[in-house]
Amino acid sequence: MKAVGIEAMNVFAGTAFLDVRKLSEHRGLDTTRFENLLMKEKTVALPYEDPITFAVNAAKPIVDALSPEERDRIEMVITCTESAFDFGKSMSTYCHSLLGLNRNCRLFEIKNACYSGAAGIQMAVNFVLSQASPGAKALVLATDISRFMVEEGGDALTADWSFAEPSNGSGAVAMLISDQPHIFQVDVGANGYYGYEVMDTCRPTVDGDAGDSDLSLLSYLDCCENAFLEYKKRVPDADFAATFTYLAYHCPFGGMIKGAHRNMMRKMVRAKPQEIEEDFQRRVTPGMIHCQRVANIMGATTALAIASTIDHGDFETPKRIGAFSYGSGCCSEFFSGVVRKEGQQRLRAMGIQAHLDRRTELTMEEYDRLLVGSNAVRFGTRNVVLDTGFIARARSAMDKPVLFLKEIKEFHREYEWVG
């Protein structure tokens, strides 16, 4: 069977971040519960950053590295998100235009909570495998943001905050899918998917989330187990403990996947607590390192975990990664692929860790002011010219031009490269 997978991959996690411990103390949250999050930082979306700026900034180094002939073989652009700002128009059209891609291209969007990125990967993989257009490539842009807002005159310090605030981040992962899987070669046909209707978390209004955190945890655990069991039906020799050198879980927060891994090791391997802890540190922790610095970016988080695993694992010899994606509502999938030393070298050349290090740390006072400013770009905004006073400080930490939202004019978003 023809090889297929991720040819190139990059992460963009904005220009500003918060230390989540400082945030939890600022909000007066229970610090003993905070320890269970296993989080360190979260990217904060500035008012002139949106899912398009994140996606394009992630994809541009990938596209720029292609020859004109290779660029013209991108025949599909998929945006994967739950943060769209239009009920009809796809963000993929903006991304396609800003990246200067060939107009002979399919442009569409997938909305499926945190599963959207995995859905985009699988759709692109099957497009390449179909050989409907031999040699074609697909650009998958998993991009999501979270904005916590306060009405003008409101008091951020007395608002109804919860542990969702420190664990929700913003960012994008761009993946070029082709028959040259330099980064991650997908195990074709090795998929276990599992889904059903559950009201664990949802977004019933354009700017608000709702849900049941306990139900979400139970659904995540149920899906992780049953998606892997379905995978095992298709790959009978698969062994949860031995087949995968690393595991990249969708990471709403670190404590959740630690609980999921403990559950899987107990049920699939009958492992003891010490063995489970050692296995978690060895196989799972590499995939959490980037996630702990960006927080949950919904549809992009599984891809971020894969990138983190490749960045921080040992691939002197080829290794297999098992990946689990979960999206509330719900749909889930367990899939796998092989990474070689070349893939790690290519991904490390993108400088993801250096990018995270260059972000500007916000003070709590700056962050609280931004909560009010975020109302300017909420869903349905018709016209606004953004105050870009903070760009100079944020941009000074970046090493290359960065795309920002300039204004919204009659609903149309206009962007500019700064730097």
Side-chain angles (χ1 to χ4, degrees):
M1 179 152 316
K2 198 169 184 68
V4 64
I6 302 175
E7 175 182 335
M9 186 179 202
N10 190 37
V11 173
F12 185 82
T15 56
F17 77 95
L18 278 181
D19 179 312
V20 293
R21 174 172 286 281
K22 293 177 183 177
L23 175 62
S24 67
E25 292 170 353
H26 183 60
R27 294 286 183 246
L29 300 179
D30 183 348
T31 54
T32 58
R33 286 186 61 196
F34 169 79
E35 295 297 334
N36 293 329
L37 292 178
L38 298 180
M39 301 299 300
K40 296 178 180 178
E41 300 167 357
K42 63 171 277 176
T43 289
V44 176
L46 303 178
Y48 31 83
E49 293 180 314
D50 67 8
I52 289 171
T53 67
F54 283 115
V56 173
N57 284 319
K60 195 171 192 311
I62 294 174
V63 172
D64 286 352
L66 299 174
S67 69
E69 294 75 22
E70 290 172 325
R71 192 176 306 176
D72 282 348
R73 293 315 316 273
I74 296 176
E75 297 182 13
M76 181 180 288
V77 176
I78 311 172
T79 45
C80 313
T81 188
E82 60 180 75
S83 306
F85 46 74
D86 189 282
F87 286 122
K89 181 176 173 62
S90 168
M91 291 192 299
S92 62
T93 58
Y94 281 102
C95 296
H96 172 268
S97 176
L98 289 161
L99 291 167
L101 299 179
N102 191 323
R103 288 195 173 191
N104 300 121
C105 192
R106 289 190 176 111
L107 310 174
F108 60 98
E109 195 158 286
I110 295 175
K111 187 274 292 179
N112 201 311
C114 297
Y115 175 67
S116 61
I121 292 171
Q122 297 300 340
M123 179 165 288
V125 163
N126 284 287
F127 166 64
V128 173
L129 285 173
S130 74
Q131 290 294 286
S133 180
K137 305 174 189 291
L139 183 61
V140 177
L141 304 173
T143 179
D144 266 308
I145 66 171
S146 56
R147 293 196 195 275
F148 291 81
M149 299 183 186
V150 175
E151 296 297 333
E152 191 71 44
D155 184 357
L157 300 180
T158 60
D160 182 21
W161 303 109
S162 71
F163 283 88
E165 189 185 15
S167 61
N168 280 9
S170 300
V173 181
M175 294 162 282
L176 188 65
I177 308 294
S178 77
D179 57 9
Q180 301 176 61
H182 300 303
I183 303 290
F184 180 89
Q185 182 172 331
V186 169
D187 291 327
V188 176
N191 307 76
Y193 24 87
Y194 189 78
Y196 52 91
E197 195 281 319
V198 61
M199 205 66 173
D200 58 337
T201 69
C202 61
R203 192 170 288 183
T205 63
V206 292
D207 292 314
D209 295 306
D212 182 327
S213 58
D214 291 334
L215 182 60
S216 187
L217 172 61
L218 292 173
S219 184
Y220 185 106
L221 296 176
D222 180 42
C223 284
C224 189
E225 178 181 346
N226 283 288
F228 176 73
L229 290 174
E230 181 62 24
Y231 176 99
K232 189 169 172 58
K233 286 181 183 178
R234 301 178 187 212
V235 188
D237 293 337
D239 181 282
F240 187 76
T243 300
F244 315 101
T245 304
Y246 297 105
L247 293 163
Y249 290 86
H250 167 61
C251 186
F253 57 91
M256 189 166 182
I257 66 171
K258 189 166 190 176
H261 187 66
R262 181 169 58 243
N263 182 64
M264 292 294 288
M265 289 294 287
R266 285 173 175 170
K267 291 187 174 181
M268 303 297 164
V269 187
R270 299 188 182 281
K272 302 299 182 183
Q274 184 60 35
E275 181 185 357
I276 295 172
E277 178 63 26
E278 291 172 356
D279 190 78
F280 177 79
Q281 294 300 329
R282 183 178 68 256
R283 293 202 294 161
V284 181
T285 299
M288 290 174 53
I289 294 172
H290 288 334
C291 299
Q292 288 177 309
R293 300 192 62 190
V294 180
N296 183 18
I297 44 175
M298 288 70 88
T301 304
T302 301
L304 180 62
I306 292 172
S308 183
T309 302
I310 297 171
D311 250 351
H312 297 99
D314 177 359
F315 295 96
E316 286 299 317
T317 59
K319 304 285 174 39
R320 176 164 280 105
I321 298 174
F324 174 67
S325 174
Y326 173 83
S328 293
C330 67
C331 188
S332 65
E333 184 160 351
F334 191 98
F335 60 100
S336 61
V338 174
V339 175
R340 296 171 176 80
K341 187 173 183 178
E342 178 203 9
Q344 184 178 65
Q345 291 172 334
R346 285 173 176 260
L347 186 66
R348 284 181 172 176
M350 304 304 288
I352 296 168
Q353 182 171 316
H355 157 61
L356 297 179
D357 291 343
R358 283 191 296 267
R359 294 171 303 164
T360 298
E361 182 176 358
L362 299 174
T363 66
M364 291 304 118
E365 292 71 25
E366 287 173 325
Y367 175 63
D368 283 338
R369 289 199 301 273
L370 285 171
L371 297 180
V372 176
S374 292
N375 284 297
V377 288
R378 69 194 314 164
F379 192 102
T381 298
R382 183 166 187 165
N383 291 289
V384 66
V385 177
L386 293 166
D387 175 6
T388 57
F390 196 79
I391 281 185
R393 181 180 164 199
R395 172 64 192 90
S396 66
M398 297 291 109
D399 67 337
K400 62 188 70 173
V402 178
L403 184 72
F404 288 119
L405 175 64
K406 181 180 180 181
E407 66 178 303
I408 302 175
K409 187 182 299 183
E410 290 301 314
F411 300 113
H412 186 262
R413 295 190 169 217
E414 298 184 3
Y415 297 87
E416 65 177 347
W417 291 96
V418 177

